[in-house]
Amino acid sequence: MKFDWIIVGAGFTGAVLAERLASQADQQVLIVDRRDHIGGNAYDRYDEHGVLIHRYGAHIFHTNSRKIWEYVSQFTSWRPYQHTVKAFIEGKLVPVPFNLNSLASLFPSSMADRLERKLIERYGFGVKTPILKMLDEQDPELKELARYIYREVFESYTRKQWDLEPAQLDASVTGRVPVFISRDDRYFQDVYQGIPARGYTELFQSLLAHPNIRIMLKTQAADILPDVQARNVVFTGPIDEYFQYRHGQLPYRSLSFDFRYEQTSDFQQMSVVNFPNDHLYTRILEFKHFTGQNVPGSTIAYEYPQPHILGINEPYYPVPCEANKLIFAKYAAEAKDLNGRVYFAGRLADYKYYNMDQAVGRALKLYDEITQAREVGVSDTPTLAG
Ligand code: FAD
Ligand code: UDP
């Protein structure tokens, strides 16, 4: 059978591109995924106890982009949800990102008050500061505080998660969870936040419901690309895999989830508890707090970081650092040579630590680029209609 497009990967990047190409440009699209389900890492499903679980870790949709929110909202309604996380530090559960409430929980009140005044004077109320920047602090007391936060919140967690020290990673990684001079305990301050009311998988079913889209699961790209005819390919898998690792393997981090069903209506009173300094796992997830599901019992998951081993486990995270950027640049140069025939996009193909909204934004932008390039008549590529 002939298709206009083959899209490899049915996560957010692939599914959004499929939807746009099918519904806006009347293209015939085949979307393939090697997993046995759509949704990529955002996939959720009901477990044997009837609890809706996020199979590949907790997923909270958050964005400041009205365009992206409105786009995704065509395919789902939302359960309003503001994410909060507590970390187990010195025997207490304190808000993360570390904020003025965390300070007050961990320090004697006179000291916490003094540090709070200093922090507000130095940074301003409502300001976020990455921990690696705060470590440069000149004021001895604030420097001591920065070292404390670094040690208690970031150092061991980052070693567990990445097997690296925070300074060996791009500053943007620990910068995702900056010290927040505020009493706002939310993990994200984005304008739009929520959990799909009927789950992510239903959202993806709705995205891919167009009659121009055909879905093939349990299908490796390599098994289908030589056989199925299509003018164009979008590849959202690992870019090093596409080029058969000819410039070496790009490192990824993986995870293993230990799902447990507990005979309790509420295991930890919140959706996520982080354990920076204890245990081999980094966090415990309790799914009913994301979904608001009213079910007896509760399914939780212990999240264990792992090295990624090709063919054995999933490449969940690109590892952002200078050395890996150099390897990626070699693949990106090869990808550019294929421009017009094979497009690369997504967390694995761009080797970028995207959140879901960024994956959606990337797909929408690529769709615009594809259509604009063709409207102005790029000579050696067929028009979308043709
Ligand atoms: P993916 O979802 O990874 O989809 C790629 C798909 O391609 C996969 O289904 C894969 O099976 C398939 N594939 C790859 N190679 C091949 C091949 N060769 N042949 C066939 N199929 C192939 N983002 C948020 O915004 N909020 C969160 O709370 C959040 N939490 C997260 C928690 C964890 C533990 C992780 C790992 C990620 C989290 N994210 C979160 C990020 C989010 O998962 C990604 O932004 C999003 O899934 C990226 O979509 P994608 O389509 O680019 O990639
Ligand atoms: N981090 C940390 N301690 C925490 C939370 C986060 O050290 O309690 C660091 C760690 O390096 C982590 C990064 O900040 O990988 C980004 O955290 P985030 O919660 O955004 O990670 P994700 O949800 O993407 O796994």
Side-chain angles (χ1 to χ4, degrees), residues 58 85 87 96 150 152-159 161-162 166 169 172-177 187-188 255 274-276 282-283 303 317 347 353 355:
V85 174
V96 166
Y150 178 83
E152 294 297 332
V153 180
F154 290 95
E155 193 172 33
S156 307
Y157 188 111
T158 302
R159 280 183 192 147
Q161 172 70 14
W162 301 97
L169 290 154
S172 59
V173 174
T174 46
R176 287 167 63 91
V177 188
Y187 209 67
F188 311 112
L255 298 169
N274 283 4
F275 293 87
T282 48
R283 45 193 178 190
E303 187 170 325
Y317 294 86
R347 178 151 150 146
Y353 194 166
N355 295 324

Side-chain angles (χ1 to χ4, degrees), residues 8-15 32-35 37-42 56-62 83 176 188 200 204 219-222 235-238 241 255 257 283 303 314-317 345-349 353-360:
V8 177
F12 264 107
T13 309
V32 302
D33 203 296
R34 59 184 164 205
R35 293 175 175 171
H37 58 75
I38 56 175
N41 284 344
Y56 303 99
H59 277 72
I60 302 102
F61 199 95
H62 58 101
H83 191 44
R176 287 167 63 91
F188 311 112
Y200 285 94
F204 277 87
T219 306
Q220 284 280 357
F235 189 81
T236 76
E241 176 190 316
L255 298 169
F257 294 94
R283 45 193 178 190
E303 187 170 325
E314 295 283 340
Y316 283 100
Y317 294 86
R347 178 151 150 146
L348 298 169
Y353 194 166
Y354 290 147
N355 295 324
M356 289 180 279
D357 65 323
Q358 294 170 303
V360 172

Side-chain angles (χ1 to χ4, degrees), residues 343-380:
Y343 297 89
F344 295 84
R347 178 151 150 146
L348 298 169
D350 290 331
Y351 200 68
K352 289 220 171 74
Y353 194 166
Y354 290 147
N355 295 324
M356 289 180 279
D357 65 323
Q358 294 170 303
V360 172
R362 173 74 172 102
L364 293 177
K365 190 157 174 280
L366 178 57
Y367 173 74
D368 286 346
E369 283 166 15
I370 290 168
T371 47
Q372 274 158 25
R374 284 154 199 236
E375 268 161 26
V376 295
V378 174
S379 57
D380 59 350

Side-chain angles (χ1 to χ4, degrees), residues 63-79:
T63 187
N64 281 318
S65 162
R66 185 170 166 184
K67 179 180 165 192
I68 290 170
W69 179 257
E70 286 181 351
Y71 172 76
V72 179
S73 300
Q74 295 175 76
F75 307 98
T76 186
S77 52
W78 298 96
R79 163 176 148 80

